[in-house]
Structures are given as C-alpha cells and as structure tokens.
Amino acid sequence: MRTVALLSSLALAAIACSPTPPAGSPAPATGGTGAGVVAAAPSQQGGQPGQPGPGGPGGPPRRQPPNPMRQDTARRMMVDSILRTIAGRENEPAGTVFKNVKLLSAMPAGAFLRNMDEQYGRGLGWTCNNCHVLTNFADDSRKNKRIARQMQEMTDHINTVRLTSIPELDKEYDKATCVMCHRGVNEPKGSMPVPQPAPVKSGS
C-alpha cells in the first residue's frame, strides 16, 4: 500500500508542475505527425500568414502559469506519503531519518517535511521535483537543490549573525524565511509599482 501511495504522489507531483493547458487545447494528432505529437490549430501558430501567435511572431502559444492549488495538493500528498513511511520516527532528527541531510539536520523529521512543503514549496511556488529527483531524494544532481541549500545558509546567517548584531532591533520580529522574500514565486521582484491615487468617483 505504501508503494501505491508513493507512486500516486509522484504522478500527481508531475502533473501539478505542468502548466494548466489553455482553453481549447488541441488533441494529439492521430496520424501523419507521429504518436503523441500535438497538431496545433492555425491560431496557435500565428493564424493567417503574417499574423503573430500569442507567444510572439511565429512562436508557440504562451505557457500558462502552474496552478498553486494543484501544486499544494501534490506536495501534501507527497508529504503525507513520506510521513506514513516514517511513522513513529517523526520526532527524531531529520539527519538520522533521511539520507544526505546537510542542513536543518537537527530539526524533527516531521517538522522538516512541513518546512519543505511550506517554505520551499509554497514559498517559491514549486513542487517537490523542482529540486528533487523523486525516485531518490538524496540525489544532489539538480541545480535547484544546491541553490536551495546555499539560500538556506544565507537565511541562517541573516538570522543568527546580521539581525542579532543590530541593537536597535529591540522588539520581537519575524525571522527571515524563504516566504518573506519569495512570496510564492521563484524569482522575487526587486522593485514595486509607484502608488497611484484612488480613482475619483463620479458625482463626488
């Protein structure tokens, strides 16, 4: 049963990280272009000659952004599946329960999984396979996983060294986290729009 649950979670994770297809997406072609090849409607490839497609002149249609709710569901299923495999060890250090844990190894395994879900997953708008090889979570081959480790080290340094060295911060404050900057997107914005005056209501 654990194997079935894990396979189901892997499948849903793969689906969730795929963009939601636009309305009216074409069905796979049944002949002439090979199995599984999508036959695009003329409007998706630019329509009439000389007319640019929605993704640019002569380009493919724009990819739709991932669906956050589908991503959250996929991550929760994955976390729940892993929690079932470590049942009874949730309060043991993550470094003793999981392989190749180089940071946060003293955090309880259950909290470690929730941190992965809420801070790394939801915080960056990602699913597990953006950083992990789902068949081998200890694998370090993915660049995003290596970046995440360094970002965690940066966050730890901010919290334990930089913020604690500011004497004027004499009140309780939230510690730096992935969510604090990323706010659900992989590439946080470095600017913000200029405030605009509220529209004037007619007759006021």
Side-chain angles (χ1 to χ4, degrees), residues 62-132:
R62 289 193 182 97
R63 291 170 61 87
Q64 298 299 309
N67 184 309
M69 292 189 67
R70 288 172 63 187
Q71 290 180 320
D72 256 27
T73 299
R75 286 196 315 273
R76 282 197 301 271
M77 287 188 65
M78 179 66 75
V79 168
D80 289 345
S81 177
I82 297 173
L83 283 171
R84 286 192 293 271
T85 69
I86 65 166
R89 305 186 65 191
E90 300 92 334
N91 294 321
E92 293 182 27
T96 64
V97 177
F98 304 115
K99 296 179 180 179
N100 196 25
V101 178
K102 297 182 178 179
L103 298 174
L104 308 178
S105 59
M107 182 180 289
F112 181 81
L113 289 173
R114 289 190 293 273
N115 184 70
M116 289 281 178
D117 175 24
E118 297 169 7
Q119 288 296 326
Y120 302 156
R122 189 179 304 146
L124 275 70
W126 276 0
T127 49
C128 305
N129 61 339
N130 282 101
C131 287
H132 293 285

Side-chain angles (χ1 to χ4, degrees), residues 156-189:
D156 291 343
H157 180 77
I158 290 172
N159 286 323
T160 60
V161 178
R162 300 306 305 160
L163 292 179
T164 57
S165 68
I166 303 175
E168 287 79 12
L169 285 176
D170 53 2
K171 295 182 180 179
E172 290 292 326
Y173 57 86
D174 289 336
K175 291 185 176 182
T177 64
C178 306
V179 171
M180 184 176 284
C181 291
H182 282 272
R183 312 303 295 175
V185 296
N186 177 38
E187 298 178 0
K189 297 183 182 299

